[in-house]
Every structure is written in structure tokens, then in C-alpha cells.
Amino acid sequence: MAETTSTTPTKRIELENSAVLFEQVGSVGVITLNRPDRYNGVNHDLVLGLLDALEKAKLTSEIRAVVLKGNGKGFSAGADLGGDVTEMIPERMDDYITENYGAICRRIMTLSKPVIAAIHGAVAGVSTAFALACDLRIMAEKANFRYAFINIGLGTDGGAGWLLARAIGYSRAFQIAVEGEKIPASTCLELGLTNKVVPEERLEEEALAWAMRLAERPPMGVAATKRVLHHAMNHSFPESVSFEADIQAKALGSEDFQEGVMAFFEKRKPNFKGR
């Protein structure tokens, strides 16, 4: 089992602005939403910082898994209602949501590395889309999801509705979105909105340890698994079988596959290198 220790190498990676922080802890990239005075409300700086961090995680080969978390009292309250985003004229919001909120979710979902959302406090509004776009979620016991759009007269945006409906089905998704109530972590676990619930004081430690375990898995195999599962969500069974076969054929020629087979027969731990 991978464990973090005081000797685990950590380095800060500079981003465009301080609204998002990015550290590399061993083989894990830790992305932190960093507007704690605004409950990590999503403004343009945070959007740019998050896109920048995700791109750097993609391009840094040493990073094999990512943790996304929030600084301060909670993960994120969603769009900053007192910030620059809500000052935009309605005619421009369509493009803004698509090119920014949607782009963040697409970048998370297409990243070839597993992304874990570590959620404490509240995750609300558009930040629910960011969290659900992640491959895995771990929540603190007192954390909660809230589709708060309805409470200010809006529908969902940023892909939050699409992701919620696919996670738990239309009827339950509609109830959550139209009622706009807090969904406690225990209920999120029952519904499948989170994978794990842990005490808050252990949240970051558990998330990082989980990411480090995933980082030990074969990078090409992880990327292939993520691609085929996302493909399966929107395609028929025959199409999915064909897509899996194509991905598998490419993987069979990789060094990681050869290493995995050799390690199996030699009864040793494989050393996967992502090629």
C-alpha cells in the first residue's frame, strides 16, 4: 500500500494566479481551489487557474493521479455571486459557461489520469459539476452536496445536470436539482454520488493515499479503462465491444503489458512505466 511520509518529495508548481494552487506530492498532483475568503467561489481567476493546473497535470509525466480539493471551510460554494462572473451580460453567459465551466469538466473527464475529488464542507452549484466530472469522490462525514441553482431561479449549468442524471438516474436527479436541499455525505454514499466517506480530519490523508495507490497502477491501463467507460456511457453494446477491442489491441503492444505478464509469472511487483 502506498503511504505518504515526511520524506515524500513535494514541489510547488506555479500557475497563472493564486486562486488555484498546484503541488506535486510524489506521483500525485494536488490541485487546491484557493479562495477561502469567498468559500472558493468560482470566478474567472479560479477558472483560469483550474484549467492551467489540469493542463500541467496532463503534461507532467511524473504525475500519475490527481486530487482536487478546496482550501478553507469547504470545497466550493459554486459561482461567486458577488464576483466578475455574475456581472457578465446574459447574452455572453452561454459562451462563458461552455468555454469555461464545460471546459473544466471536459478536461477532467478526458485526462488520462485518475482524478479524485476530496470534499469537505459544501460542494454546491457549478462546483458539483467539477466534483462529479472526477473519476472518484471521497467526502468528509459532515460534507454535503447541494444543487443550489434552483434557489436563485436557475437550472443547472456547466454539465451539472448531465453528470447528476448519469450518476443516479433521471428521477432522483430531478428531485435533488428541483428541491435544492443539502444532501449529506451519508446519503451521497447511498446514492452513489461519492465512493467513500471518512472523518474530516482524515480526508486529505485518505485522498492522497488513495491517489498514490492508483498512481502505482499501469498508466496506459488506467487511461484505457477511463476511455472505455466514458465511451460506454453514450454508445451501444456492440459499439462498446468494438471500441474496447481497438483500445486493447493497442495496449497489447505496450511495454507495460509485457512487464505485467512477466511480473505475474515471476511473482513480483510490476514496474509500470507508462509506455
Side-chain angles (χ1 to χ4, degrees):
M1 179 185 296
E3 295 183 356
T4 60
T5 69
S6 58
T7 59
T8 302
T10 301
K11 70 176 181 179
R12 175 82 172 268
I13 299 176
E14 294 300 324
L15 300 179
E16 290 187 15
N17 57 66
S18 61
V20 174
L21 305 177
F22 189 26
E23 286 185 318
Q24 181 179 340
V25 183
S27 54
V28 176
V30 179
I31 300 173
T32 304
L33 309 181
N34 188 44
R35 301 187 69 228
D37 57 321
R38 301 293 299 174
Y39 211 97
N40 299 319
V42 181
N43 68 348
H44 197 54
D45 283 345
L46 189 141
V47 166
L48 293 178
L50 191 46
L51 289 170
D52 188 18
L54 289 166
E55 183 66 12
K56 285 182 167 62
K58 173 184 175 181
L59 297 175
T60 305
S61 59
E62 295 84 5
I63 291 176
R64 294 189 176 184
V66 175
V67 172
L68 175 62
K69 65 186 186 73
N71 195 2
K73 294 182 179 180
F75 186 84
S76 172
D80 187 346
L81 297 182
D84 52 16
V85 173
T86 49
E87 292 174 0
M88 297 181 65
I89 59 174
E91 290 77 10
R92 294 181 58 192
M93 285 303 293
D94 184 8
D95 289 340
Y96 186 88
I97 289 170
T98 302
E99 295 171 6
N100 292 278
Y101 298 164
I104 288 170
C105 291
R106 288 193 301 273
R107 195 160 290 186
I108 292 171
M109 294 163 69
T110 58
L111 187 66
S112 63
K113 305 165 186 185
V115 184
I116 300 173
I119 301 165
H120 74 294
V123 53
V126 73
S127 66
T128 59
F130 304 160
L132 288 177
C134 294
D135 304 291
L136 300 163
R137 284 158 296 285
I138 181 170
M139 294 179 72
E141 289 174 334
K142 295 182 180 180
N144 64 83
F145 257 76
R146 190 170 195 178
Y147 268 62
F149 307 94
I150 194 73
N151 297 328
I152 55 172
L154 298 176
T156 62
D157 65 30
W162 189 93
L163 290 159
L164 183 65
R166 277 156 181 76
I168 62 174
Y170 169 81
S171 186
R172 288 184 297 185
F174 179 80
Q175 181 180 355
I176 286 173
V178 81
E179 290 180 345
E181 297 178 354
K182 293 180 180 179
I183 310 299
S186 58
T187 304
C188 288
L189 185 62
E190 293 172 5
L191 292 173
L193 289 174
T194 189
N195 302 85
K196 298 181 181 184
V197 175
V198 299
E200 183 164 340
E201 63 271 17
R202 286 174 40 205
L203 178 66
E204 292 191 20
E205 176 187 351
E206 293 279 351
L208 189 56
W210 195 7
M212 287 191 166
R213 291 195 296 273
L214 294 177
E216 293 179 349
R217 310 306 297 157
M220 294 183 69
V222 170
T225 300
K226 188 166 178 174
R227 287 188 65 192
V228 298
L229 290 177
H230 275 295
H231 181 276
M233 294 293 291
N234 296 291
H235 293 81
S236 68
F237 178 74
E239 289 171 323
S240 295
V241 171
S242 178
F243 186 76
E244 286 180 340
D246 181 58
I247 297 295
Q248 198 79 317
K250 295 173 182 175
L252 288 171
S254 70
E255 291 182 23
D256 274 0
F257 172 70
Q258 299 298 326
E259 169 62 12
V261 172
M262 290 177 61
F264 174 81
F265 284 111
E266 295 171 4
K267 294 181 169 53
R268 61 174 174 81
K269 183 178 179 179
N271 179 24
F272 295 116
K273 297 181 179 179
R275 58 177 187 261

